[in-house]
Amino acid sequence: MIGTIASQAAGRLYAAVMNLPERPMRWAQGHLPDGRLGWLFVGPNLAIFAVFTFLPIIVDFYYAGTGGTNLLPTERPWVGLENFASLLACKDYFEPNSCVRDQFWYAIWNTVKFVALQVALMLAFSLVTALVLNRKIIGRGFFRAAFFYPVLLSPVVVALIWKWVLQRDGVLNAAFVGAGLQPVEWLLSARSAFGWTVFVSIWAHMGFYTLILLAGLQAIPADIYEAAAMDAAPPLRVFRRITLPLLMPSVLVVLVLGLIRAVQIFDEVYVLTGGGPGSATTYLVEFIYNTGFSAQVRQYGLAAAASLLLAGVLLVLTLIQLRGMRAKGSSRG
Amino acid sequence: MSRIDGSLALQDVVKRFGNTEVVHGVSFDVADGEFVVFVGPSGCGKSTLLRMICGLESVTEGEVRIGGERVNDLPAARRGLALVFQSYALYPHMSVYQNMAFGLENLGMPKTEIQARVGEAARMLRLEEYLQRKPTALSGGQRQRVAIGRAIVREPRIFLFDEPLSNLDAELRVGMRAELVDLHRRLGTTMIYVTHDQVEAMTMADKIVVLRAGRVEQVGLPLELYNNPCNRFVAGFIGSPRMNFLEGRVVDGVIELPGLGVVRTRARLPAGGTPISIGIRPEHIHAGHQADNNLTGAVAGVEQLGGLSYVRLAGPDITIQIPGQTRLAAGAATPIHFPAGAIHVFDADGLTLPRQTP
């Protein structure tokens, strides 16, 4: 008895809540012109985007054209393109010391080296991994999960794990000492720290790209390989003439996504090395962060200008990716 | 240049996937230059058999010989065969020319020779205009011809076709059937053709191998299978519309069909009381009664094709083929006659009973 009353009350309450938008929606349908009702639905989301995405972009453009260290926009003097000019002022672009903003150019060259090495190695590793995981090997399911697992970790967690391994009294050195070797300062020498940032970011992201390539491999019909077997094609030739061309759309996706993410590298490295030793592992985003938010003199204008330059590079890469995706879509269709 | 021997022999070939045996000791011979069709319902093992012959599937037991040479352990590429896939399996990123040339390039053939062979095949298959196109820019029939061209250029000892026409529409299929027969006549190479369509088998084959559930049911010339099927399965599988079957028993040297009457046949019948079944093709049943072997059925439906008509009777369930057009309508009782010489008699296991020697 009490049960039925309770369930009836719950039903009424549910109905009342669900009917709550009834009146305003009827009003909106009656008063808004045809085809405009959609704005009502995307409105809330659009407002959030406006405040947290579009507005900051506009603010960024404004700050890039102003100088000084004051955070209030009204207190900032307009300097036009001066920030860009100072970032780009250089006697020899290959020699950061000859530039006005030497740290910016160190960061750029570090990033270029990092991107080239990280993307090339990651593409190679994920391709090999995908090819192996595409075969009928024992424990294939386990290995697929194992390679994907780091992708699920937060970048900070990834960095902390590897810091724990690589620091002076870390796991790796403990193993070295256990084996009778001298401990190595992995993160305190410029070359080794750079190498480890490349390695750690590959370790963290490779699973994602392996997955894309694996999906690409599995989309290649088995009978094409049988036709190649009938055509007496040796394995290497099958890979070069059949697998690789048919996998190319997926490789392109991996290449461009990998490039974009490599250019944006920040969190893992920031936690792992803090950009050091010196500026050996200071990449572009970290330079922007340091310039705007962590240095003693906070040069918001300079950071904003640098971030716009970075955005330009990412825009170009994204356009290439979109074009590649479109080509992929049309060739499949 | 002496012609390469394109004969094929299978001896007690068995295929097992894990513990499941799908081909149970198949044996037959194919002479050089023969057009042989493997026919059977889906799942009968005909494609598996084909894949074992071409080397894409290993042979569990038994022996496959090509040109007299045992090839069980020879990789697919070195058996000198060419396979046309049901899905065509063209390389989608290569042009028609590259698709046909790929196999020859792998053999290290000189470029001029490749050009000559591809050009010749393209001319034969009317593909010359399409050589630079990608497969996606071709129609189904053109893709089919590219797949055949890829096989031709390799000048194989044996051509293997795995249901090559099943992805084409009905009209194109009839056309391609004729083209393949024509191709066989011109090349004179052994061809092995897998299909589930008995019409393709009847119209194309020099010799038909009827398969069921991984076993050879009968091997023979098309008309031999039609006229003298060795069992009830072959009798039902070959011929369209399929043979009518009626259950009965032997009584006093004739066959009693319960509720329908008695029929005389030319078969050597077993002892009285033995249950047997009879089969008669729709085209062999006569409308109207004669001296004996007469039955009467009610018309359940009529299909008029213009040149001939199919009449379906209910109780007994029988289809009759009548030349020309008919005025029979559903519900009408119609007398029919089974000519004694056209009746096939099967024992309880479905084996055909031999005819009496006159």
Side-chain angles (χ1 to χ4, degrees), chain A residues 121-135 137-153 158 162 199-214 261:
Chain A
L121 287 177
M122 191 169 65
L123 185 60
F125 285 150
S126 49
L127 185 59
V128 170
T129 312
L131 285 169
V132 172
L133 292 182
N134 195 36
R135 303 181 79 97
I137 53 166
I138 298 165
R140 181 163 69 161
F142 168 77
F143 285 116
R144 284 183 182 179
F147 277 101
F148 190 71
Y149 179 67
V151 178
L152 304 174
L153 297 177
V158 167
W162 282 99
F199 172 83
V200 169
S201 75
I202 290 175
W203 182 85
H205 300 294
M206 201 182 96
F208 178 67
Y209 300 105
T210 303
L211 202 69
I212 296 179
L213 293 176
L214 197 56
R261 281 171 80 162

Side-chain angles (χ1 to χ4, degrees), chain A residues 223 226 228 230-231 237 241, chain B residues 51 87 91 93 106 154:
Chain A
D223 56 10
E226 292 185 342
M230 295 301 294
D231 269 342
R237 209 168 143 76
R241 293 286 306 270
Chain B
R51 291 167 62 82
S87 61
Y91 309 120
H93 56 295
N106 294 334
R154 298 188 47 204

